[in-house]
Structures are given as C-alpha cells and as structure tokens.
C-alpha cells in the first residue's frame, strides 16, 4: 500500500517526503503502549471491582453479573464524555481507553452530543453510530465468518 | 502595479486604520490575551450551536473594527471574508447583519491574508474607500467539520495542531492613520503529495516557502528587508521544514525572524501539540498582537504569510492528497519608501 502510494509521486514530491519525514515527530509508540496498558488495566480493575460489588451485594453470580457491570461501565464513560473529561484521559491513554467497552460508549455518546444541534431525528439519531457503526458492521461480519469456519471444521471436519 | 509574476505593489498606500479581534477562553489563557479586544469566557458565546458562536464572533470582530475606526456600518463599502465551515455559512450569515456588499472567500486558513490582499487592491485602485476584510474559526465547530466529534477520545499524534477559536477583522482605507499595506503576493496551489490530515504543517510548508521566495524575488529584496516574516499556522513541525527548505533553495533566512502565528498564540504548557491553526489563528494574531507590536515601534516591516490546506473531509477519505496555498501580505509602518 505504501509502495503503491509512493509510485504515484513525482521525484520532487518523493524528495520532499523524505525531508519532511525527518522533522515529523513520531508517535512515542512504546510509551503509548505502556500508558495504554496501565490505564486499560485500571479500567478493567474498576470493572472487576464493580462486578464483585454486584456479586456480593445483589443476587448475581459471576456469570450474570457481567451485564450490570458493562452497563455501569458504559454509564460512567458516557457521564465522563458529557462532562468533557473522557477525551482528555484518552489523549493520554490512547488505546487504553479506546479498547474497553468504555471507548465504544464514548464514541456513541460523543457523536450524539456533537450532532444534538441538528435535531433528535436527523442529528442525534442519524449520527450516533457514525463512529461506532463500523465497529458493529465489521464486528458482526467477523463473527459471521468465524461461525462459518467453526461450523465447517466442527460439523463437517468431524473434529 | 504588478511586480514580477504574482506580486501586487500598492502605490496609493492603502492602510489598516482599525482592527477588531475576538477570542475564546482557551486563547484568553494563552500567551497574548492582552492583544484581543474581547475575550469570551464561554465557548458557546451564549448561542445554542458552535457554528452560531463563530458567526457571532465574526460579527463582533467586524463591529469592533468599525467602532474603533470611528465609522458606521454604512461607510463600509465591501466586506471580504470566509471561514472553514461548510459553504462558509458563519461568515455569510454574519454579513447578513453587516449589510455591506459581500465577497465570500475560501482559502482555508489563508483566507485572512487573501482577504487583506484583495481589500488593499480594491482600496489601492480606488474602487472603494473603506473595505473590511476578516475571518474567524472556532475550535469545536472546525473539529466537527474536519475530524471526529469533539468529545471523542481519539489520541492525536504529536504532529496535530489545535484550531484556534478567534476572529479578526481589519478595515483598509485610503484615508486615516495606520500601518500601510505595501504589497501582496498571491500563492499557487502546491501539492507535495502529503496525505496526513494530522500533519498540516508538513503539508503547508512548501506552499509557504514557494510564496515567500516568489515575493522576495518579485520585489527584488532579501529576507532581511523585513524585521519579521510570520507564517500563519505552520506549527513547530511545519516551521522546521520550511527553514530546511529555505536552506535547500539557498534563500538566506534568519531563524529568529521567521516566526509562526500558531506558535505565538499559546503558552508552552497548553496542550496544543504542534501549535495553533485555523483561519482565526493568523487573523487574530496579525490584527491584534502583531499590529500592536508595530504600533509600539518594535516591528517596522513585516511579511505575513497565511497558509491554508485546501482539503475537505471527503477528499481526505477518498485518499486524495492535500493541496496547499499561501498568500503573503507585506505590512510596513511607514510605507515602502521609508
């Protein structure tokens, strides 16, 4: 892909690209990974705490406590998005806040807030899944493909 | 008078008799809050959408400039302006209340100097006495237009820039007191094949270098003629690249005198990554901070080069490269002959 792009550039453009590359500050990948690991882990720790809370104080077992836990985490993420804090944490944490369910909640809530001025139907309703939509589409599609593979292997492969 | 290939030299001394600058809360906490006429503490400006807030900001900048010039709305013959939002509606809507004949411009972040150059041309050629040129940008309205929702938690790379919430307007007149617009060089669209919308400085630097070198050549001067050369919003990365390009083309350029509006507006500790950007960046800084420094006598001659990236969210998603442009306007306290 990158090579394909490079082929379409004139020599002058290519020369400029290598000059510009020198000054371009790269994302600090290692540092970002560590931050993402710690913050993501911390979010999961809170999730675990919430789950234990539901198991101890309500009529849930480890399996059924999953749903209210996710709902609580989503609620917190949406609240933080509304208060304008979530994006600041995310600038620090990167994938740490994007990968857990809180990131998904943030992408839906932020789009809903953003398009509120365009009305409820065409604004909020129409744009809410602007970012999350592709996650749902490709998530469902990936699950479908995996299910077919599993069926083929287990059902007909006789494994 | 035309100089060289693309430089206008204004012989009748059009001058900037008054300016109006407005900014938002984040800029109010920046490095140059005293150079803005009004600082709003509320990002919404009491409106129910950010686009409306931007419209109000532009209106306020224009009214402020008219008020400071001691004129009335009716005395403004033409209004030149534009912005970054779809079909430049905030500027057009603001022009509805200002009710002067209006020319809508789009040059992305270069709109500020595009407007000033055209306003000076109109005044210089006697087709108008008082012409208003201005532009505005609003951080959240622009983010919404070009990027993700503002509250979305996407991590921005260190090359990204922060759209300035500010508006700036200037009245160019034949009569009155003020710094003189001596010449303007219009930019060509330069495309170096850059595709990363989070690295605007890198995309725009060649356009700035092209316009500056054309300007110096057309006027037959070198960079030391100016006390300062200010670029619009190259940011820290674009500025470094531009300096490198000058070296490569062997155009002498003093590092200290080659400054960027996007780096002047915020404090070092504000989280703006590579610097400020947006129409309001060059307009707000030039019409406020820079002209004030000129008034105090610190700057006598300056060249302001507003840079613009002519992309749209659509063009970027369709894998188009980012074409860029830069317009340069020379402002000299005592005209070109002194």
């Amino acid at each position: 892909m990158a090579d394909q792009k490079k082929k379409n550039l004139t020599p002058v453009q290519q020369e400029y690209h290598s000059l510009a590359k020198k000054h371009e500050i790269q994302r600090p990948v290692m540092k970002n990974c560590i931050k993402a690991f710690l913050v993501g882990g911390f979010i999961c720790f809170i999730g675990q705490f919430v789950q234990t809370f539901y198991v101890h104080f309500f009529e849930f077992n480890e399996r059924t406590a999953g749903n209210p836990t996710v709902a609580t985490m989503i609620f917190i993420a949406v609240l933080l998005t509304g208060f304008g804090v979530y994006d600041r944490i995310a600038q620090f944490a990167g994938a740490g806040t994007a990968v857990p369910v809180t990131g998904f909640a943030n992408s839906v809530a932020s789009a809903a807030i953003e398009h509120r001025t365009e009305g409820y139907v065409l604004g909020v309703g129409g744009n809410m899944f602007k970012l999350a939509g592709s996650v749902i589409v490709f998530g469902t599609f990936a699950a479908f493909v995996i299910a077919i593979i599993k069926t083929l292997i287990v059902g007909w492969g006789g494994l | 008078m035309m100089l060289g290939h693309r430089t206008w030299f204004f012989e009748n001394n059009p001058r900037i008799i008054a300016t109006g600058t407005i900014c938002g809360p984040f800029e109010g906490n920046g490095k140059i809050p005293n150079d803005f006429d009004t600082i709003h503490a509320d990002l919404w400006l009491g409106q129910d959408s950010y686009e409306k807030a931007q419209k109000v900001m532009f209106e306020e900048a224009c009214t402020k400039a008219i008020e400071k010039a001691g004129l009335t709305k009716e005395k403004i013959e033409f209004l030149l302006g534009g912005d970054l939002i779809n079909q430049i509606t905030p500027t057009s809507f603001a022009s509805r209340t200002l009710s002067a004949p209006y020319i809508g411009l789009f040059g992305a972040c270069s709109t500020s100097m595009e407007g000033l150059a055209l306003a000076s041309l109109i005044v210089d050629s006697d087709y108008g006495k008082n012409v208003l040129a201005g532009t505005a940008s609003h951080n959240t309205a622009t983010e919404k237009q070009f990027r993700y929702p503002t509250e979305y938690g996407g991590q921005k790379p260190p090359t990204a820039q922060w759209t300035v919430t500010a508006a700036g307007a200037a009245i160019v007149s034949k009569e009155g007191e003020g710094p003189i617009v001596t010449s303007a060089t219009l930019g060509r669209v330069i495309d170096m094949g850059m595709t990363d919308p989070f690295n605007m400085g890198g995309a725009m630097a060649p356009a700035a270098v092209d316009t500056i070198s054309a300007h110096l050549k057309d006027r037959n001067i070198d960079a030391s003629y100016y006390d300062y050369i200010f670029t619009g919003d190259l940011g820290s990365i674009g500025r470094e690249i531009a300096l490198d390009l000058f070296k490569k083309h062997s155009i002498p350029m003093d590092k200290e005198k080659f400054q960027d509006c996007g780096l002047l507006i915020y404090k070092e500790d504000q989280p703006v990554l590579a610097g400020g950007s947006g129409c309001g960046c060059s307009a707000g800084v030039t019409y406020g901070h820079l002209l004030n420094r000129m008034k105090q006598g610190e700057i006598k001659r300056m060249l302001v080069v507003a840079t613009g990236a002519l992309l749209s969210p659509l063009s970027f998603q369709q894998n188009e490269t980012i074409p860029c442009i830069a317009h340069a306007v020379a402002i000299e306290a005592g005209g070109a002959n002194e």
Side-chain angles (χ1 to χ4, degrees):
Chain A
M1 182 70 187
D3 285 344
Q4 184 77 40
K5 259 187 192 164
K6 219 165 192 181
K7 260 182 211 158
N8 296 331
L9 296 174
T10 64
V12 180
Q13 284 177 329
Q14 284 187 20
E15 202 187 323
Y16 176 69
H17 275 236
S18 50
L19 186 143
K21 199 100 206 144
K22 272 193 296 185
H23 292 283
E24 210 174 286
I25 304 170
Q26 296 300 322
R27 282 175 192 261
V29 177
M30 204 54 215
K31 208 166 116 196
N32 282 355
C33 284
I34 295 168
K35 282 191 206 162
F37 177 77
L38 292 175
V39 178
F42 184 67
I43 292 174
C44 296
F45 170 74
I46 297 171
Q48 190 58 54
F49 180 78
V50 172
Q51 192 186 27
T52 315
F53 171 82
Y54 280 120
V55 171
H56 268 266
F57 295 96
F58 295 93
E59 300 278 307
F60 291 109
N61 59 37
E62 288 235 335
R63 208 180 152 84
T64 52
N67 288 339
T69 303
V70 169
T72 311
M73 295 311 284
I74 288 174
F75 182 76
I76 296 171
V78 170
L79 214 57
L80 289 176
T81 305
F83 285 131
V85 189
Y86 198 90
D87 57 330
R88 289 181 202 184
I89 305 172
Q91 178 62 33
F92 173 81
T97 48
V99 175
V101 71
T102 50
F104 189 77
N106 163 255
S107 71
V108 176
S110 63
I113 296 169
E114 186 88 340
H115 294 278
R116 169 65 192 88
T117 54
E118 291 146 47
Y120 282 114
V121 178
L122 294 176
V124 176
N127 290 298
M128 212 166 163
F129 290 94
K130 204 165 94 175
L131 297 163
S134 57
V135 179
I136 297 173
V137 169
F138 293 108
T140 314
F141 181 68
F144 175 72
V145 173
I146 297 293
I148 287 183
I149 294 171
K150 192 190 165 194
T151 312
L152 286 179
I153 294 174
V154 177
W156 294 321
L159 290 170
Chain B
M1 186 173 73
M2 185 74 175
L3 287 181
H5 288 290
R6 48 185 162 125
T7 299
W8 292 332
F9 186 79
F10 305 120
E11 287 164 313
N12 299 321
N13 295 342
R15 30 186 103 223
I16 302 173
I17 58 161
T19 56
T21 47
I22 315 289
C23 75
F26 192 63
E27 291 66 29
N29 286 323
K31 218 192 276 179
I32 49 165
N34 297 333
D35 291 315
F36 288 99
D37 293 314
T38 312
I39 300 171
H40 284 281
D42 173 22
L43 201 56
W44 293 87
L45 272 76
Q47 304 298 308
D48 55 16
S49 80
Y50 289 130
E51 288 77 10
K52 281 186 195 162
Q54 184 179 323
K55 182 198 77 174
V56 170
M57 211 160 58
F58 183 66
E59 271 172 13
E60 285 181 358
C62 294
T63 0
K64 197 82 201 173
I66 295 170
E67 185 194 307
K68 277 162 80 181
L71 298 170
T72 53
K73 267 201 303 195
E74 294 71 32
K75 288 273 165 61
I76 300 297
E77 278 134 354
F78 298 102
L79 170 60
L80 285 81
D83 57 72
L84 289 164
I85 310 300
N86 278 342
Q87 285 84 34
I88 60 169
T89 45
T91 310
S92 303
F93 287 12
S95 310
R96 189 168 57 184
T97 45
L98 294 161
S99 72
Y102 159 66
I103 304 171
L105 306 172
F106 182 81
C109 313
S110 71
T111 309
S112 56
M113 289 306 121
E114 187 183 357
L116 186 61
L118 289 169
S120 307
L121 179 74
I122 294 173
V123 171
D124 187 63
S125 58
D126 265 331
Y127 284 109
K129 285 198 192 74
N130 301 304
V131 181
L132 201 155
T135 179
S137 62
H138 192 289
N139 177 275
T140 38
T142 312
E143 289 286 311
K144 177 180 179 179
Q145 172 77 56
F146 284 93
R147 302 190 181 98
Y148 302 120
T150 42
E151 297 302 333
Y152 176 62
Q155 194 176 35
K156 286 182 184 157
T159 49
Q161 286 170 267
W162 177 274
T163 309
V164 171
T165 305
I171 298 177
V172 183
S173 291
K174 209 160 184 184
E175 313 282 324
E177 288 294 307
I180 295 166
V181 182
T182 54
S183 58
T185 302
L186 300 190
R188 295 184 298 173
V189 176
I190 303 278
D191 191 338
M192 278 301 181
M194 302 291 277
T195 48
D196 183 3
F198 282 116
N199 182 13
M200 289 298 187
M204 295 190 296
V209 171
D210 177 74
T211 303
I212 294 170
S213 50
H215 178 84
L216 298 177
K217 203 168 146 213
D218 285 352
R219 278 195 71 176
N220 198 19
I221 47 179
D222 55 56
S224 61
Y225 176 83
Y226 293 106
D227 295 331
Y228 285 101
I229 293 179
F230 295 100
T231 47
D233 51 2
L234 290 184
S236 53
I237 290 157
R239 180 173 169 268
E240 291 292 323
I241 296 175
L243 282 169
D244 238 22
L245 284 174
F246 283 125
K247 207 183 279 170
K248 203 178 131 203
H249 295 298
S250 28
I251 299 165
M253 183 65 66
D254 188 344
K255 233 179 176 175
E256 297 303 309
K257 298 194 163 173
F258 184 71
Q259 301 277 347
D260 185 65
C261 296
L263 297 172
L264 289 171
I265 188 163
Y266 295 116
K267 286 184 194 146
E268 276 79 21
D269 59 350
Q270 282 179 303
V272 295
L273 302 164
S277 71
C279 297
C281 181
S282 52
V285 173
T286 307
Y287 297 152
H289 181 66
L290 299 183
L291 288 184
N292 282 348
R293 278 167 73 181
M294 193 167 250
K295 242 178 249 166
Q296 287 152 11
E298 193 207 323
I299 304 175
K300 290 209 164 54
R301 293 169 172 153
M302 65 176 175
L303 183 70
V304 184
V305 189
T307 43
L310 305 171
L311 83 167
S312 82
L314 183 78
S315 74
F316 148 68
Q317 279 169 359
Q318 291 178 344
N319 290 330
E320 293 265 8
T321 51
I322 304 174
C324 295
I325 196 162
H327 299 298
V329 174
I331 305 173
E332 302 177 41
N337 302 322
E338 262 184 48

